[in-house]
């Protein structure tokens, strides 16, 4: 009985998602839904998702595309052809969720606006990912991660004092928006269980970039424009050189500060009232940091990490390659081996959420271009002879 309960395929098993989005925010949001058991069908145009064409040291397929689109099946439709639009309408009629990242003016022209598809399927959860939202003067402007970073002050705060703004690499706005996609869709599915009705779900990169900065976006009455809004605690918190490699240290609490001083032999700093709070240590960092660096030169970053253990929060600076076989990552089963029809076998990130009872299946590899077109259409009752006709018409890839 317990084994049966633990093999249900995830809490979203039985939910069908049509993913019409490209790049990162929408697609990875759908990958998170696939992680939770949803059957996600990635619908690409004949030119493919632009992420497939990104520079990659992996020859057969874009590394970014593989990482962002795990767990999905692939279908190619040319929505500019009426025959393909009719197929999409058939798919939408039987789907639970549709996600896209077209600009607000585009879906109606293609025949896939929320209003148009809600007439076909009133239970459809329709998630639109935009750069700037659904209204306002910028609603039809193309939005990208680093554009929004720069616009919303993230790059200005990332830069050094008196230096130029700096981008936060890693597509942090896109990936945060993808979490909003998965959360918004899941909430709408939950509400549908009570009301029986689908609804529109809007996610924007602008909202995501500002949500990431909620602690900075507080402006009390009477405050001047330029006040300190950064969340960095300053002082000794940060990355420091060691005898070999670099080490991040966070010792903000009294307990951790005392432990750091004890482990590095800087006992007199721990006893000095000038340094007995985070604020004081930030004010006197020019006095503390050189002495800390002298002490840290005695060992490598990995040796300090081991010595500090659980007593001082820290991490040796590693490359992402080290994560594939990192003991904690392995213990949490975060990496799986995938089989891809073009790339072959590869290892990659598996699942972001752990469920105790409704355990999802091992995710599938990202789809090859149009890999599952025939299978997906057959599931919605489109016969083989019509599939061949759609191919001849150029509507199906």
């Amino acid at each position: 009985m317990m084994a049966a309960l633990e093999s249900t395929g995830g809490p979203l098993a039985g939910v069908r998602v049509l993913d019409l989005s490209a790049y990162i925010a929408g697609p990875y949001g759908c990958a998170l839904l696939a992680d939770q058991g949803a059957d996600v069908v990635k619908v690409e145009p004949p030119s493919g998702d632009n992420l497939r064409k990104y520079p990659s040291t992996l020859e057969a397929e874009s590394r970014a595309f593989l990482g962002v689109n795990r767990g999905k099946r692939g279908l190619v439709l040319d929505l500019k052809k009426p025959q393909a639009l009719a197929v999409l309408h058939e798919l939408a009629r039987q789907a639970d969720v549709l996600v896209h990242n077209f600009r607000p003016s585009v879906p109606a022209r293609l025949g896939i606006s929320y209003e148009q598809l809600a007439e076909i399927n009133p239970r459809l959860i329709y998630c639109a990912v935009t750069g700037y939202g659904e209204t306002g003067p910028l609603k039809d402007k193309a939005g990208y991660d680093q554009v929004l970073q720069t616009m919303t002050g993230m790059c200005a705060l990332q830069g050094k004092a008196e230096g130029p703004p700096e981008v936060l690499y890693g597509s942090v706005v896109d990936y945060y928006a993808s979490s909003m996609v998965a959360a918004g869709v899941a909430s709408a599915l939950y509400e549908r269980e009570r009301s029986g009705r689908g609804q529109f779900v809007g996610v924007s990169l602008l909202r995501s970039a500002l949500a990431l900065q909620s602690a900075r976006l507080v402006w009390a009455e009477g405050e001047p424009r330029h006040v300190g809004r950064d969340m960095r605690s300053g002082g000794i918190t940060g990355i420091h050189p060691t005898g070999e490699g670099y080490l991040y240290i966070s010792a903000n609490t009294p307990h951790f500060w005392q432990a750091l001083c004890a482990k590095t032999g800087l006992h007199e700093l721990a006893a000095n009232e000038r340094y007995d709070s985070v604020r004081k240590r930030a004010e006197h960092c020019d006095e503390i940091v050189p002495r800390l660096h002298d002490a840290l030169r005695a060992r490598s970053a990995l040796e300090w990490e081991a010595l500090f253990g659980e007593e001082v929060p820290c991490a040796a600076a590693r490359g992402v390659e080290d994560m594939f076989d990192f003991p904690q990552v392995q213990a949490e089963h975060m990496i799986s081996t995938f089989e891809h029809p073009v790339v072959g076998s590869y290892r990659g990130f598996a699942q972001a959420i752990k469920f105790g009872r409704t355990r999802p299946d091992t995710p599938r590899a990202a789809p090859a271009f149009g890999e599952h077109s025939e299978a997906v259409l057959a599931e919605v009752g489109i016969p083989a002879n019509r599939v061949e006709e759609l191919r001849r018409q150029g509507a199906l890839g």
Side-chain angles (χ1 to χ4, degrees):
M1 177 71 73
M2 183 60 71
L5 286 174
E6 292 179 350
S7 303
T8 61
L12 294 182
V15 171
R16 171 68 63 86
V17 179
L18 300 178
D19 175 16
L20 277 66
S21 59
Y23 292 107
I24 295 176
Y28 197 68
C30 292
L32 294 175
L33 295 172
D35 285 351
Q36 298 172 72
D39 174 22
V40 179
V41 177
K42 185 172 182 67
V43 182
E44 297 181 70
S47 57
D49 183 335
N50 282 332
L51 203 59
R52 288 189 186 270
K53 305 176 182 66
Y54 265 47
S56 174
T57 53
L58 191 63
E59 209 168 298
E61 180 61 276
S62 160
R63 196 182 307 276
F65 183 87
L66 293 178
V68 167
N69 289 282
R70 68 171 178 272
K72 305 177 186 180
R73 298 190 289 164
L75 167 67
V76 176
L77 289 175
D78 185 354
L79 294 181
K80 294 179 181 177
K81 295 185 180 296
Q83 302 92 337
L85 179 61
V87 169
L88 185 70
H89 284 178
E90 291 182 52
L91 291 168
R93 183 174 287 109
Q94 300 183 42
D96 298 285
V97 179
L98 183 142
V99 178
H100 72 72
N101 65 338
F102 298 116
R103 283 177 273 182
S105 63
V106 173
R109 294 204 308 266
L110 290 177
I112 59 167
S113 69
Y114 171 66
E115 292 76 18
Q116 290 164 323
L117 295 185
E119 285 193 12
I120 296 170
N121 180 0
R123 288 174 54 83
L124 184 68
I125 306 301
Y126 182 102
C127 180
V129 183
T130 60
Y132 301 90
E134 300 76 35
T135 59
L138 299 182
K139 67 182 181 66
D140 283 311
K141 182 180 173 67
Y144 295 95
D145 181 287
Q146 294 171 13
V147 174
L148 271 300
Q149 284 190 35
T150 307
M151 171 183 284
T152 61
M154 296 175 72
C155 296
L157 281 168
Q158 181 71 9
K160 305 292 189 297
E162 308 303 323
E166 294 181 11
V167 164
L168 288 72
Y169 288 101
S171 301
V172 292
V173 174
D174 276 339
Y175 279 105
Y176 192 74
S178 72
S179 296
M180 298 297 98
V181 168
V185 166
S187 294
L189 285 169
Y190 175 75
E191 193 278 336
R192 191 182 70 173
E193 290 302 300
R194 293 179 293 175
S195 69
R197 298 164 58 196
Q199 64 177 301
F200 176 90
V201 176
V203 173
S204 78
L205 299 188
L206 176 58
R207 281 194 290 269
S208 298
L210 294 181
L212 275 167
Q213 302 181 84
S214 293
R216 294 169 176 168
L217 284 168
V218 176
W219 194 338
E221 185 176 355
E223 279 192 310
R225 175 181 175 85
H226 296 293
V227 295
R229 296 186 184 277
D230 199 0
M231 291 299 296
R232 284 174 282 198
S233 55
I236 62 165
T237 299
I239 296 177
H240 300 279
T242 68
E244 181 182 346
Y246 290 84
L247 183 75
Y248 181 89
I249 296 173
S250 177
N252 291 330
T253 68
H255 170 74
F256 293 140
W257 167 244
Q258 295 287 330
L260 174 64
C261 292
K263 295 284 187 179
T264 55
L266 299 173
H267 303 283
E268 69 276 17
L269 297 185
N272 194 327
E273 293 182 358
R274 285 163 52 83
Y275 313 138
D276 64 4
S277 72
V278 176
R279 179 171 294 182
K280 289 181 182 179
R281 290 194 288 275
E283 292 171 352
H284 300 292
C285 64
D286 291 344
E287 302 169 13
I288 302 172
V289 170
R291 298 196 59 186
L292 178 62
H293 286 181
D294 286 341
L296 291 175
R297 275 196 284 269
R299 291 181 171 86
S300 72
L302 291 174
E303 289 170 336
W304 282 117
E305 184 184 69
L307 180 63
F308 288 159
E310 297 180 7
E311 295 181 66
V312 181
C314 67
R318 295 172 169 83
V320 70
E321 297 82 4
D322 295 315
M323 292 297 99
F324 285 91
D325 298 303
F326 192 67
Q328 184 63 27
V329 171
Q330 288 289 316
E332 286 285 297
H333 306 291
M334 297 180 190
I335 300 293
S336 284
T337 298
F338 300 86
E339 297 298 330
H340 190 276
V342 178
V343 177
S345 177
Y346 68 90
R347 289 193 295 163
F349 184 75
Q351 292 174 333
I353 305 171
K354 181 184 288 186
F355 296 97
R357 180 172 54 82
T358 55
R359 189 174 300 168
D361 299 326
T362 301
R364 67 172 81 230
F369 189 59
E371 180 182 353
H372 307 97
S373 293
E374 290 89 346
V376 171
L377 297 191
E379 289 170 5
V380 295
I382 297 178
N385 62 338
R386 186 177 167 200
V387 169
E388 288 307 311
E389 180 64 22
L390 288 167
R391 287 197 189 281
R392 283 194 296 271
Q393 295 166 338
L396 177 68

